[in-house]
Amino acid sequence: MNLIPTERLTPARLRIELLSGLTVALALVPEAVAFAFVAGVHPLVGLYAAFLVGLITALIGGRPGMISGATGALAVVMVALVAQHGVEYLFATVVLMGLLQISAGALGWGKFIRLVPHPVMLGFVNGLAIVIFLAQMSQFKVPGTMVETGHGVGGGEWLSGMPLALMLGLVALTMAIIWALPKFTRVVPAPLAGIGIVAAIVIGFGIDVPRVGDLASIQGGLPAFHIPTVPLNFETFQIVLPYAVILAAIGLIESLLTLNLVGEMTGTRGGASQECVAQGIANTVTGFFGGMGGCAMIGQSMINVKSGGRTRVAGIAAALFLLTFILFASPMIELIPLAALVGVMFMVVIGTFAWNSLTILARVPKMDAFVILLVTVVTVLEDLAVAVVVGVIVSALAYAWNNARRIHAKTYATPEGAKVYQIQGPLFFGSAEGFSELFNPEEDPQTVIVDFADSRVVDQSALQAIEALATKYEAQGKRVQLRHLSRDCHRLLKKAGHLVIDSDDDPDYALAVNYGVRTGILGGH
């Protein structure tokens, strides 16, 4: 496998990739710890997931430049399982989740991400930007005041007075460095410089602000192989399967949408099914090594891409740096002020939010504007998977409605006295009723020809509409013929037993071929 498919690995490129990976690893620490708290598990469970999922997907994932790890979208689903059944059931669920994702990739289901419309993508990135922003609010609480709520960790006392002013000032300083530094030099990724400078100021002057170590100690050993200690019976399967299906779906949707987003930014294409398999392998392995599982992280991926990371090296480096922090550098990493990392994430929010969507809302079709707002709101209030599914369903229904309104007909009489209806627009479940309203069996002549040259017979509802029409004319002692059926329409009607061929069949459908309609095939006739 080519580890560097998009860039030649020169010394300059290697330096950029390694520094980008270091920046991502520093930002991963508080995220992984926070998401572990949300899920109700030990911080190392989140850190091990960030390391293992990040490493495996960086090695074999569908798109270089993407970063994967423990995510909040998955953590909020896991919390109920952990609270009710314990962490061992979580590990078993993560293994099954991975196997489901591998199956999805092997079946090529990743390609269905193409069905996600652009308004849904805009709503997705806007909602996720808001979610990332809101996730940083917990860092503005007094360390040690967060409490276990039964649904993860919540509550806590907000910073106030001078501690809040210091926190906000350092966040603003970090953001200013990230904004200004690229105007002067790109030797060091701006987010890494922001973290380093602010950390040096805080440590050098002994400023009392919340630090990484106030969240939890990140010190630990290598993740050890561990078979989940759960009963191997059908009852266990019934417990973990629903969670595994939901987690697999959320993980794949978020990963594939992030894959598309990174692809737009880096100019790369493809890899959807490969990404599904990579996510599945990563989660299966993680479940056997005491990790909480994960998926693609849009925030960290944006940090990586904007820091210059374009190859698999950056993702591999991020995972290995994170492991180094856990094994050897935890005392140093725990001194980093949370304000610096919050500043980095705030800049990610600014870069992720599709600001142009605010200006185009008044110019795009009203339904598209509604979908953008709907997906944004549902992403914030529920989760990404629900939001995307809702957005796709609403978009599909809007498309079906618009197509249903297109059905109409042009009519004329033949020299033989037959009346021809030239159908315009697709005939499917949404337009079947409108199709029936086009005809007038009482007043039409003895022979009626329905010409489908500019139409398509799409589904069972269309077949039912044609048969119902033929029944109406038959009741009047009149006859219906079908003309200019396409190959797929011909197959549908013939398979259902609706075709009576009155002339030699033309296999290429280059000529008008007339078909009668046999009634009484479907129930009720």
Side-chain angles (χ1 to χ4, degrees):
M1 180 179 295
N2 183 8
L3 296 184
I4 316 296
T6 58
E7 296 277 354
R8 184 181 176 187
L9 193 59
T10 62
R13 167 52 50 187
L14 180 61
R15 175 184 59 78
I16 293 173
E17 297 294 325
L18 292 177
L19 290 177
S20 181
L22 177 58
T23 307
V24 170
L26 290 171
L28 273 172
V29 172
E31 295 274 299
V33 172
F35 295 147
F37 281 145
V38 169
V41 297
H42 191 277
L44 282 176
V45 175
L47 290 166
Y48 286 154
F51 162 63
L52 288 168
V53 175
L55 179 62
I56 294 172
T57 55
L59 284 168
I60 61 175
R63 180 140 310 157
M66 280 179 58
I67 303 296
S68 296
T71 65
L74 299 181
V76 295
V77 177
M78 296 172 178
V79 59
L81 174 64
V82 174
Q84 187 172 358
H85 299 285
V87 72
E88 294 295 330
Y89 278 83
L90 172 62
F91 297 150
T93 301
V94 171
V95 172
L96 181 56
M97 162 192 174
L99 295 175
L100 292 174
Q101 290 176 326
I102 292 172
S103 300
L107 293 172
W109 289 357
K111 63 188 176 186
F112 290 114
I113 200 66
R114 302 171 187 169
L115 297 178
V116 177
H118 189 62
V120 175
M121 279 293 295
L122 288 177
F124 154 70
V125 296
N126 289 350
L128 213 51
I130 296 171
V131 169
I132 294 172
F133 174 81
L134 295 176
Q136 307 313 306
M137 294 298 101
S138 63
Q139 312 303 349
F140 289 89
K141 294 185 177 182
V142 178
T145 63
M146 303 290 281
V147 295
E148 175 63 47
T149 65
H151 298 283
V153 177
E157 179 184 343
W158 292 100
L159 293 172
S160 60
M162 184 54 67
L164 178 60
L166 284 172
M167 184 79 171
L168 291 173
L170 293 171
V171 169
L173 176 60
T174 305
M175 295 174 70
I177 294 170
I178 295 172
W179 172 77
L181 187 65
K183 301 179 185 299
F184 301 100
T185 180
R186 295 185 179 271
V187 174
V188 177
L192 180 59
I195 294 171
I197 293 171
V198 172
I201 292 172
V202 169
I203 296 171
F205 289 93
I207 301 175
D208 185 18
V209 291
R211 308 191 186 192
V212 172
D214 295 327
L215 289 178
S217 172
I218 66 168
Q219 185 173 10
L222 287 169
F225 181 77
H226 168 75
I227 298 176
T229 53
V230 296
L232 296 178
N233 54 35
F234 186 68
E235 182 180 354
T236 299
F237 182 72
Q238 286 181 306
I239 293 172
V240 301
L241 180 62
Y243 288 100
V245 170
I246 295 171
L247 291 170
I250 293 174
L252 289 185
I253 290 173
E254 184 160 356
S255 297
L256 292 174
L257 290 177
T258 304
L259 180 137
N260 281 355
L261 199 61
V262 171
E264 290 178 6
M265 297 180 67
T266 61
T268 53
R269 300 175 60 187
S273 294
Q274 182 179 342
E275 183 65 29
C276 293
V277 173
Q279 292 288 338
I281 293 173
N283 282 308
T284 302
V285 172
T286 300
F288 283 118
F289 281 86
M292 61 184 281
C295 64
M297 307 178 73
I298 187 171
Q300 311 304 329
S301 298
M302 293 302 100
I303 291 175
N304 184 45
V305 171
K306 293 185 178 182
S307 297
R310 292 292 185 276
T311 74
R312 298 186 186 275
V313 170
I316 295 169
L320 295 178
F321 276 127
L322 183 60
L323 181 63
T324 303
F325 298 161
I326 296 170
L327 297 178
F328 309 112
S330 58
M332 182 174 64
I333 300 301
E334 289 169 10
L335 293 176
I336 294 175
L338 290 173
L341 301 173
V342 171
V344 171
M345 297 310 295
F346 278 176
M347 292 302 287
V348 168
V349 169
I350 293 172
T352 300
F353 195 92
W355 299 100
N356 67 316
S357 65
L358 300 179
T359 61
I360 68 172
L361 283 177
R363 300 200 301 268
V364 299
K366 291 181 179 179
M367 180 54 66
D368 287 347
F370 173 74
V371 169
I372 293 172
L373 295 175
L374 176 66
V375 174
T376 300
V377 171
V378 176
T379 299
V380 174
L381 298 181
E382 290 292 331
D383 61 60
L384 171 67
V386 172
V388 172
V389 170
V390 168
V392 170
I393 290 174
V394 171
S395 296
L397 289 175
Y399 175 80
W401 174 251
N402 288 333
N403 273 281
R405 293 163 59 191
R406 289 172 50 199
I407 194 80
H408 64 282
K410 297 178 181 179
T411 62
Y412 64 90
T414 67
E416 293 78 16
K419 185 174 182 180
V420 178
Y421 285 85
Q422 287 185 310
I423 306 300
Q424 312 282 318
L427 178 55
F428 67 112
F429 67 91
S431 60
E433 184 174 350
F435 170 79
S436 300
E437 294 173 354
L438 298 175
F439 300 88
N440 190 345
E442 291 81 6
E443 298 181 6
D444 282 345
Q446 287 298 114
T447 301
V448 171
I449 300 172
V450 185
D451 191 338
F452 288 96
D454 297 318
S455 181
R456 284 173 61 89
V457 178
V458 177
D459 57 13
Q460 177 64 24
S461 296
L463 300 180
Q464 179 69 57
I466 292 172
E467 184 182 1
L469 178 69
T471 301
K472 290 179 182 178
Y473 278 100
E474 187 178 48
Q476 298 289 329
K478 299 173 183 179
R479 188 166 179 271
V480 174
Q481 293 179 344
L482 308 182
R483 179 179 290 178
H484 284 128
L485 289 170
S486 64
R487 291 178 182 274
D488 50 349
C489 299
H490 175 268
R491 282 194 295 268
L492 272 176
L493 289 164
K494 190 171 184 179
K495 183 177 181 180
H498 292 278
L499 284 184
V500 179
I501 302 176
D502 292 337
S503 62
D504 293 334
D505 194 6
D506 176 5
D508 294 323
Y509 298 94
L511 303 175
V513 181
N514 295 331
Y515 304 94
V517 184
R518 181 185 296 127
T519 60
I521 299 298
L522 300 179
H525 296 286

